[in-house]
Amino acid sequence: MFFEIIKAVLIGLLEGITEWLPISSTGHMILFNELLTLKVSDEFFELFEVVIQLGAVLAVALLYFSRLNPLSRGKSREEKRATLSLLLKT
């Protein structure tokens, strides 16, 4: 049981590190699981992957929230317009 927790933590660390790199973090999780297989059901591992990736995506969103928020208090009027125009182009 303890070894499974260690493997889960290692997979989480791998996801966190590779999320910021221009490589597939999901692919690394799959490869890591092939090397050190977690002894859980396939359904649980799929849910585990989703939860770990959701945490990474939320971390990125939180980090860039003020930069992407056109109503951020720390921005000048020109910066707010530029941000808003970027958001409206998509």
Side-chain angles (χ1 to χ4, degrees), residues 23-72:
I23 54 178
S24 173
S25 57
T26 305
H28 279 85
M29 283 194 323
I30 292 168
L31 287 174
F32 188 85
N33 191 47
E34 291 296 320
L35 294 173
L36 292 173
T37 306
L38 281 172
K39 295 177 185 170
V40 294
S41 68
D42 290 338
E43 293 83 12
F44 180 84
F45 188 73
E46 287 177 12
L47 179 64
F48 179 73
E49 284 180 317
V50 169
V51 170
I52 282 184
Q53 290 178 343
L54 179 63
V57 169
L58 288 176
V60 170
L62 183 64
L63 181 67
Y64 288 102
F65 179 76
S66 64
R67 182 178 282 180
L68 296 173
N69 181 4
L71 304 174
S72 181

Side-chain angles (χ1 to χ4, degrees), residues 5-16:
I5 293 171
I6 296 295
K7 285 192 265 185
V9 169
L10 289 174
I11 291 173
L13 288 172
L14 180 71
E15 169 66 22

